[in-house]
Amino acid sequence: MDVKARGCSANTQSEEDQIMDLRRGPWTVEEDLKLINYITTHGEGRWNSLARCAGLKRTGKSCRLRWLNYLRPDVRRGSITLEEQLLILELHSRWGNRWSKIAQHLPGRTDNEIKNYWRTRVQKHAKQLKCDVNSKQFKDTMRYLWMPRLVERIQAAAAAATPTSTTAVTEASTTTSASVTTAGNIGMGQMVMPQGVIGNDFGGVQITPSYTPENSSTAASSDSLGTQVSPVSDLTDYYSNIPVNNPNPDYLQASQVGYSGSSLISPSGTNYYNHGTDFQSLEQNNPWLDGADGSYNFLNAEDFFFLQQQFNFNM
DNA sequence: AAGCTAGACAACCGCAGCAAA
DNA sequence: GTTTGCTGCGGTTGTCTAGCT
C-alpha cells in the first residue's frame, strides 16, 4: 500500500529532521510494537513515510533495518548450523562480500547476521594465521581443508542421528534442514546449493537443504526468541566426533589434496604458508588450541599438528 | 566483588543505483 | 538531461554480556 496516499505529513525528510529530534540507538519495546503493528496493518515499504505515519521518531532507514534484521516474522535466531556455515564459506568463496546475495540462500538469515558471523568467526582465524582473509591462501585453506572437514562433520552428525547411508540431517527447531547424501568420500565432488545453486567441487557430498519458504516462516514462532538451533554449530569438537580409527579412507586424503613437498599446494598451484608463519607463537597464544571458549574453533590441537606435519609450516 | 577483555550482535553511516518529478 | 528522494548494500562502530583474572 502506498503510504503517501494516506495523507501523511508532507514534510520532507530534512524538514522532519529539524522538527523532530530523531531517536537513535537501541529500539525500545514500544517502538518495536509500533513498527510491527503498522507493518502488519499497512505493509512494508516507503520507509521514510512509514516511520512518520507510524509515529516513530526514527529514520526510514532505521525502521527498515530493524524490521528486516530483527522484527520480520521469518527471521531466524540462534546459532549458525553446520550446513549454514558450509554454505556461507562456499558462497563467500564464490561471491565475496556479497552478503545480501549470500543471505538469499540462507532462509531466515539476514545479511547482517552473516556478515557478523564472517567477521567474528572467520576473519578471526585468518588473523590467527597472519594472512588476509581475502587472500588466495586463506580462501584455499578454507576450501581444501576446513570445508571438507565441515562436510565430514555434517556426515558424522547425520550418521549419529540415523545410521543409514542416506541420512536426513534435521535438527530440532531448525527450519533449514539438509539431506546429506554420504558419498563415501570427502574428496572433490559436487555440492547442490539451495534454490538450485550447484556448488562446485568440494566435499564429495550433496547437500540439498529441504526448506521451503513455507517451513522457513515457521521460525517466527519457534525460533524468534533466540533458540539455539544447532547442537553442534561449529567445529570446536569436530574431532571428538570422529573415531580414532576413522573408517573413512578418504579422511586425510581430502585434506591432502594438492599438497606436496614442503609447501601447501592447491590444485591451482598456489603455494601456501611458506611466508614465515610463526606457529610456535601461534601454538602458545592460539585460542584454537585450548578449546576453552568451546564455541567456534575451526581447528584444534590435532588440526594444528596435522597442519604442521602435512604442510611443513615454518617453525 | 570489581575490573578487564573478547565475542556477539544490533545499529548507524556512507555510498551507489534507481525511479519519479 | 538534471535533480531529488528512496532503497538497498557493505563497512564500521557501539553496546551488551559472559568469562576470566
Side-chain angles (χ1 to χ4, degrees):
Chain A
M1 182 175 179
D2 189 350
V3 179
K4 274 184 176 174
R6 280 181 279 99
C8 294
S9 164
N11 290 338
T12 65
Q13 186 64 51
S14 58
E15 288 169 340
E16 205 75 34
D17 289 350
Q18 294 171 355
I19 294 171
M20 50 193 293
D21 53 331
L22 293 172
R23 272 186 51 78
R24 295 185 178 209
W27 280 62
T28 64
V29 175
E30 289 75 19
E31 287 178 311
D32 282 347
L33 288 175
K34 275 186 181 179
L35 186 57
I36 291 172
N37 288 335
Y38 191 88
I39 292 178
T40 299
T41 307
H42 302 101
E44 56 184 278
R46 312 284 309 188
W47 295 103
N48 282 334
S49 302
L50 186 153
R52 288 195 299 270
C53 295
L56 289 162
K57 293 183 176 181
R58 295 275 184 173
T59 66
K61 289 176 78 169
S62 182
C63 292
R64 173 183 168 271
L65 210 60
R66 182 64 178 174
W67 174 254
L68 292 179
N69 288 341
Y70 199 83
L71 299 176
R72 197 162 44 103
D74 59 343
V75 69
R76 286 186 65 196
R77 316 296 304 173
S79 12
I80 306 286
T81 66
L82 291 173
E83 292 82 5
E84 288 173 324
Q85 291 176 53
L86 191 57
L87 264 177
I88 292 170
L89 294 180
E90 165 61 15
L91 295 179
H92 187 276
S93 72
R94 188 179 309 169
W95 295 325
N97 296 355
R98 301 288 303 278
W99 305 118
S100 62
K101 190 170 183 176
I102 294 172
Q104 289 173 3
H105 295 276
L106 289 120
R109 299 295 186 186
T110 67
D111 55 352
N112 208 33
E113 192 172 11
I114 295 169
K115 181 170 55 181
N116 283 332
Y117 166 77
W118 185 266
R119 293 186 63 81
T120 57
R121 314 286 179 90
V122 181
Q123 284 196 347
K124 187 183 96 172
H125 296 303
K127 194 175 180 181
Q128 291 291 337
L129 280 175
K130 297 179 180 178
C131 64
D132 188 89
V133 72
N134 293 317
S135 67
K136 190 166 186 352
Q137 294 165 338
F138 187 73
K139 287 177 179 176
D140 284 349
T141 300
M142 283 195 302
R143 181 180 176 82
Y144 298 111
L145 181 62
W146 294 341
M147 288 164 73
R149 293 186 178 197
L150 251 182
V151 169
E152 179 153 339
R153 188 171 170 184
I154 292 170
Q155 291 177 328
T162 349
T164 56
S165 59
T166 300
T167 309
V169 180
T170 307
E171 297 167 1
S173 302
T174 303
T175 55
T176 299
S177 61
S179 61
V180 178
T181 303
T182 54
N185 69 78
I186 54 174
M188 299 299 103
Q190 186 184 63
M191 183 174 181
V192 179
M193 296 301 183
Q195 300 171 8
V197 176
I198 305 301
N200 48 14
D201 53 352
F202 79 89
V205 298
Q206 288 193 334
I207 297 178
T208 311
S210 56
Y211 60 79
T212 64
E214 289 72 26
N215 64 27
S216 69
S217 68
T218 60
S221 58
S222 60
D223 289 340
S224 61
L225 297 178
T227 305
Q228 295 295 303
V229 297
S230 173
V232 280
S233 64
D234 219 305
L235 293 175
T236 306
D237 55 346
Y238 172 63
Y239 285 97
S240 66
N241 293 336
I242 298 176
V244 174
N245 297 318
N246 194 321
N248 186 341
D250 295 322
Y251 169 56
L252 284 180
Q253 291 173 14
S255 298
Q256 291 170 329
V257 165
Y259 302 123
S260 63
S262 61
S263 302
L264 182 52
I265 308 293
S266 78
S268 59
T270 302
N271 193 345
Y272 303 117
Y273 300 114
N274 56 354
H275 55 291
T277 302
D278 183 358
F279 268 83
Q280 280 187 326
S281 66
L282 271 182
E283 274 191 288
Q284 289 163 5
N285 304 312
N286 200 325
W288 305 8
L289 297 179
D290 55 21
D293 61 358
S295 57
Y296 53 84
N297 293 343
F298 272 116
L299 305 176
N300 61 13
E302 192 174 341
D303 287 310
F304 248 80
F305 177 78
F306 173 78
L307 278 171
Q308 291 170 351
Q309 296 301 309
Q310 296 297 321
F311 308 145
N312 192 23
F313 281 89
N314 295 330
M315 292 185 291

